[in-house]
Each structure stands twice: as structure tokens, then as C-alpha cells.
């Protein structure tokens, strides 16, 4: 009948001390998590690109059933992992059937739903098994039913509302798995949301969203990574909720976030995500891509910088005493500067790594003193005496690359 039954997936993970169990989607096939330790933060251009690639697939955008047929079925809870293709299949059908979800509970790796037995949405049971995705619905007669695993959920929705349209291209599902499972975010809780001191919303947030929108996905990924439950108001093309959205926001643009805890309402994915980090995370991590690039490039260039820095400062001049005096003078100035403030950061104005380091300090609201050595380290862009100061920084801290951050007079490195 054209109905697609996906393979059910098992999430096997090492759980923190609070709990010890497995997570499955029914048929006990292990999820392959990305092996890289990602520094999750404000989505960058790569995140937007991979999100856009996924949403070239033709599902989860247009409502496919009369709205009246969906209103009698109420979804109480949906345990979901944004960065999982089987969970995505369920979310696509929810959009197409114009269903809303009272509470979407993020259930990524290290989430409270999987690890914290005191959490109101904890999904573990006596056998130590949790099932993702998992859905609780209320039928027309008031009976509450539980469905565990993507196959059970999709079979129920198919029996209730009719089969889904046949898959257009047999490669769609393989592409989806590649993009969602391997390139996407939203599989794990970010380090900035793991602490017990992390601020949590008392009431679930409200998100107007639909699956086939790349910017909605960026917001949902961060909601998963910050372990924030939310009410999902499906607002796909042709949705009856679009009229409600227009009343609330003056537009039908998605995503749109309502925070009943702060009375804040906002559109635009970037603004929403920045708000979520500022309000419901301990800190906003540095840009993931820049952090990865910095970790690769800096060790490779360090030997080169060690040779070039003295040459640029004039170490090969005939008057060696003059060069030595300039370096000693720069060192004395640095020691004076790093003792004048608790946090001192040396930067280049054009360096994206320096800019990102400053953003991190600003987001953490840490007072600091910035000292710029010019636009960049290359000739004609570095300021007068900046080359000498760069050499002196190397002698003081062992690092000539910038940013170079000092805390209480000691260098802690760069980005």
C-alpha cells in the first residue's frame, strides 16, 4: 500500500551514575553515533547547509489530511531525538497529519529522560529499557495508548489516518539516514546543559514548527542539545494552526517560539537559538567549526610561527643588543598588563578565532581586558612593535598564536 516500515533502532549508551539502562526503538539494532566530540553551539553555515540538504527530501511539509480528522486524536508525549532518521519519520507524519504534541521530550544521549530517575519525564522502566521514539496518545473515547518504536507509531498513524503516499525515490531513505544520522546535530546533550545548576524552564516552551523546514530543524536540534521539553504546534503548509500562528505573531513564518516562563515571543532561528543558550544553558560554547579548525591548524603552524616570529621582529639584524632590548621591554610590558586584570586577552582584529573567543567571554559576562596587536600577524597588518610583543608572548607563555588568554597572570591558551 506504499506504507514504509523503517528498521527499528536500539540506542545503546553508557549512562551516568544516576541511572543504568539501554535505550531502544524496539528491534534492538544499535544506533551509530558520530564519533567526533562536537562542541555544540550557535549553528554555523555548515549546520545550515546540512539542514538544507536534508530538507530537499519531499516529506513533512504539506498537510495531507483534512484537519477535522486529526483533531480528535491528542498526542500527550513524544520522546524524540532530533538527530535520528527514524524519529524524523514520525515527525514527518505528525506534520502531514497536522497533529500537535503536548510535550516533546528530548531523549538524546545523556538527556534527563534517559538518565535521571527523579525527572518527571524519565522514560526508564523496571527492566532498564527505554524506547525512542515513544508516543502517548489519547483516543476519541478517552483511552490513553502507548506506542513504542517508530514502526509501531507509524503503523498506528497509518491505520488511523490512512497510508502515507508512496516514496518518490527509493534513495530518499538512504539519503535521509546519511544526512540526519551522520551530518545532523541533536543526538546528545551539550556540556553547557549537563550541570544540575543549568536553568530549566518550569513550563514547556511552545514551538510553531514543521518538519520540512531547515530553520525549524536548527531550533529543534538546539532544544534537544539543551534538553528542553516543548509543546509542538504543527504549522505545515495547509495547517489549521497557521491561522493561530498569524494571530500570535502577525505572520505564518516558522519557526516561532513562545516562552510562557518569560512571556517572550520571537521569530528567526538565529535569534531563537541565541535566546535559548542565554536563558537555558550555563554558557554558550565557541563556534564548533572554528574550534575544530583551531585545534587542527594551531599545532601544525606552531613550529612555523616559532621560526617566523623572531625573524619578523628583527632577530636577524646586525644589532643583536637592540633586538634583545626590544624583546625584554615587550616582556616587561606584558607582565605589567597581565597583572593589571584578572582576565587579559591578546588578539588580532581580523582573526575569526579571536572574535569568537571574545564572544565566549562576552556571553559568560566575564570582565576582561583586550589588547590588540593589530589587524593580523602578517607584515603591514601587525601594529608597530607588535612583532616584538608577539615574540615576547612566546617567551612568557610558550605561544605566539592569538588569541592568547591569561587568567590571574597565567596563559590558558587560545580558543
Amino acid at each position: 500500500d506504499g506504507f514504509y516500515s523503517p528498521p527499528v533502532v536500539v540506542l545503546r549508551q553508557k549512562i551516568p551514575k544516576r541511572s543504568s539502562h539501554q535505550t531502544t526503538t524496539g528491534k534492538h539494532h544499535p544506533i551509530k553515533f558520530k564519533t567526533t566530540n562536537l562542541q555544540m553551539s550557535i549553528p554555523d553555515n555548515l549546520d545550515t547547509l546540512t539542514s538544507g540538504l536534508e530538507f530537499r527530501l519531499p516529506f513533512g511539509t504539506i498537510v495531507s489530511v483534512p484537519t477535522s480528522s486529526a483533531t480528535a486524536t491528542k498526542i500527550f508525549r513524544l520522546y524524540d531525538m532530533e538527530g535520528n532518521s527514524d524519529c524524523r519519520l514520525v515527525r514527518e507524519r505528525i506534520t502531514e497529519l497536522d497533529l500537535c504534541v503536548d510535550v516533546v521530550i528530548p531523549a538524546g544521549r545523556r538527556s534527563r529522560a534517559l538518565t535521571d530517575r527523579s525527572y518527571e519525564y524519565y522514560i526508564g522502566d523496571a527492566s532498564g529499557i527505554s524506547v525512542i521514539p515513544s508516543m502517548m496518545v489519547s483516543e476519541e473515547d478517552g483511552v490513553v495508548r502507548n506506542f513504542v518504536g517508530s514502526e509501531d507509531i507509524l503503523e498506528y498513524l497509518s491505520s488511523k489516518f490512512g497510508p502515507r503516499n508512496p516514496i518518490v525515490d527509493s534513495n530518499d531513505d538512504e539519503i535521509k539516514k546519511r544526512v540526519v544520522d551522520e551530518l545532523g546535530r541533536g543526538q546528545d546533550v551539550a556540556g553547557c546543559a549537563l550541570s544540575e545548576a543549568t536553568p530549566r524552564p518550569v513550563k514547556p516552551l511552545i514551538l510553531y514548527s514543521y518538519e520540512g523546514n531547515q530553520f525549524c530543524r536548527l531550533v529543534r536540534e538546539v532544544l534537544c542539545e539543551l534538553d528542553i521539553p516543548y509543546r509542538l504546534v504543527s504549522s505545515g503548509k495547509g495547517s489549521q494552526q497557521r491561522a493561530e500562528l498569524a494571530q500570535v505573531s502577525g505572520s505564518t513564518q516558522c519557526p516561532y517560539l513562545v516562552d510562557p516562563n518569560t512571556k517572550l515571543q520571537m521569530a528567526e532561528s538565529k535569534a531563537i537559538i541565541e535566546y535559548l543558550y542565554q536563558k537555558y544553558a550555563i554558557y554558550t560554547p565557541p563556534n564548533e567549526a572554528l574550534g575544530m579548525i583551531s585545534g587542527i591548524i594551531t599545532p601544525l603552524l606552531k613550529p612555523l610561527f616559532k621560526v617566523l616570529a623572531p625573524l619578523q621582529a628583527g632577530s636577524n639584524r646586525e644589532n643583536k643588543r637592540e633586538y634583545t632590548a626590544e624583546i625584554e621591554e615587550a616582556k616587561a610590558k606584558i607582565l605589567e598588563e597581565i597583572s593589571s586584570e584578572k582576565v587579559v586577552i591578546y588578539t588580532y582584529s581580523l582573526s575569526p578565532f579571536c572574535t569568537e573567543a571574545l564572544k565566549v567571554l562576552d556571553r559568560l559576562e566575564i570582565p576582561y581586558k583586550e589588547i590588540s596587536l593589530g589587524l593580523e600577524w602578517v607584515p603591514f597588518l601587525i601594529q608597530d612593535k607588535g612583532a616584538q610583543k608577539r615574540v615576547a608572548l612566546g617567551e612568557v607563555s610558550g605561544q605566539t598564536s592569538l588569541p592568547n588568554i591569561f587568567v590571574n597572570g597565567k596563559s590558558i591558551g587560545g580558543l
Side-chain angles (χ1 to χ4, degrees), residues 52-116:
L53 287 174
E54 180 187 349
F55 291 108
R56 301 286 71 82
L57 300 173
F59 298 114
T61 300
I62 301 173
V63 174
S64 59
V65 298
T67 54
S68 59
S69 66
T71 54
T73 298
K74 182 178 182 180
I75 303 178
F76 279 121
R77 295 181 182 180
L78 176 67
Y79 289 87
D80 178 63
M81 184 195 305
E82 181 65 31
N84 177 267
S85 56
D86 294 286
C87 291
R88 160 147 189 177
L89 287 167
V90 173
R91 296 194 306 269
E92 286 176 346
R93 289 301 284 148
I94 286 174
T95 291
E96 293 163 358
L97 297 173
D98 207 25
L99 299 171
C100 295
V101 183
D102 277 1
V103 188
V104 177
I105 300 130
R109 186 166 49 179
R110 300 191 294 179
S111 66
R112 290 173 294 161
L114 302 183
T115 64
D116 187 355

Side-chain angles (χ1 to χ4, degrees), residues 31 51-53 58 64 100 117 123 127 147 154 168 179 182 192 229 268 272 307 337 358 375 379 384:
I31 284 181
S51 186
L53 287 174
S64 59
C100 295
R117 294 181 184 275
I123 196 177
S127 66
F147 298 93
L154 292 171
V168 175
V179 175
E182 298 181 20
C192 59
E268 301 295 341
I272 292 172
V307 174
E337 291 167 344
L358 292 170
L375 298 177
D384 184 43

Side-chain angles (χ1 to χ4, degrees), residues 364-380:
L364 292 171
E365 298 182 351
I366 294 176
Y368 61 89
K369 181 179 182 178
E370 179 189 3
I371 301 172
S372 175
L373 300 192
L375 298 177
E376 259 294 356
W377 65 272
V378 296
F380 306 110

Side-chain angles (χ1 to χ4, degrees), residues 155-375:
E155 284 180 352
Y156 164 75
L157 295 176
S158 179
S159 66
K160 185 76 176 178
F161 302 105
R164 190 180 197 182
N165 292 331
I167 293 173
V168 175
D169 186 336
S170 60
N171 292 322
D172 283 346
D173 295 305
E174 181 62 27
I175 295 171
K176 192 179 299 179
K177 286 184 178 295
R178 294 276 183 177
V179 175
V180 180
D181 295 345
E182 298 181 20
L183 295 179
R185 292 172 37 164
Q187 291 188 355
D188 197 355
V189 177
C192 59
L194 286 174
S195 169
E196 292 184 0
T198 303
R200 309 288 188 187
V202 176
K203 301 176 183 177
L205 308 187
I206 302 169
L207 181 67
Y208 291 84
S209 168
Y210 62 96
E211 187 60 30
N213 181 301
Q214 67 188 93
F215 299 104
C216 291
R217 179 193 180 194
L218 294 173
V219 172
R220 293 195 311 268
E221 285 175 337
V222 172
L223 286 167
C224 187
E225 292 168 359
L226 296 184
D227 205 14
I228 299 174
Y230 61 96
R231 170 173 166 74
L232 174 63
V233 183
S234 290
S235 306
K237 297 177 181 179
S239 167
Q240 65 176 352
Q241 278 76 240
R242 287 211 165 191
E244 174 188 325
L245 175 58
Q247 284 188 331
V248 172
S249 68
S251 168
T252 58
Q253 175 181 325
C254 293
Y256 191 80
L257 181 77
V258 177
D259 188 344
N261 304 280
T262 62
K263 311 301 182 185
L264 180 138
Q265 301 182 20
M266 64 195 317
E268 301 295 341
S269 58
K270 183 177 180 181
I272 292 172
I273 290 166
E274 288 177 346
Y275 168 77
L276 292 174
Y277 272 103
Q278 290 168 3
K279 187 65 180 177
Y280 298 115
I282 297 295
Y283 61 91
T284 302
N287 180 279
E288 178 183 16
L290 286 177
M292 293 175 64
I293 294 170
S294 177
I296 296 171
I297 291 180
T298 300
L300 293 176
L301 294 182
K302 188 173 182 179
L304 178 63
F305 287 155
K306 189 174 182 180
V307 174
L308 290 180
L311 291 174
Q312 189 179 3
S315 64
N316 58 345
R317 73 181 79 169
E318 292 184 6
N319 191 340
K320 301 296 183 183
R321 288 185 179 180
E322 182 182 52
Y323 169 77
T324 301
E326 289 175 354
I327 300 304
E328 291 300 318
E329 180 182 353
K331 284 172 62 178
K333 183 63 175 175
I334 290 170
L335 294 174
E336 177 187 334
E337 291 167 344
I338 63 178
S339 63
S340 65
E341 299 285 345
K342 287 187 176 181
V343 179
V344 177
I345 176 170
Y346 291 88
T347 66
Y348 297 124
S349 300
L350 295 182
S351 166
F353 305 106
C354 296
T355 300
E356 188 64 25
L358 292 170
K359 286 182 180 179
V360 172
L361 293 174
D362 288 336
R363 289 166 184 157
L364 292 171
E365 298 182 351
I366 294 176
Y368 61 89
K369 181 179 182 178
E370 179 189 3
I371 301 172
S372 175
L373 300 192
L375 298 177

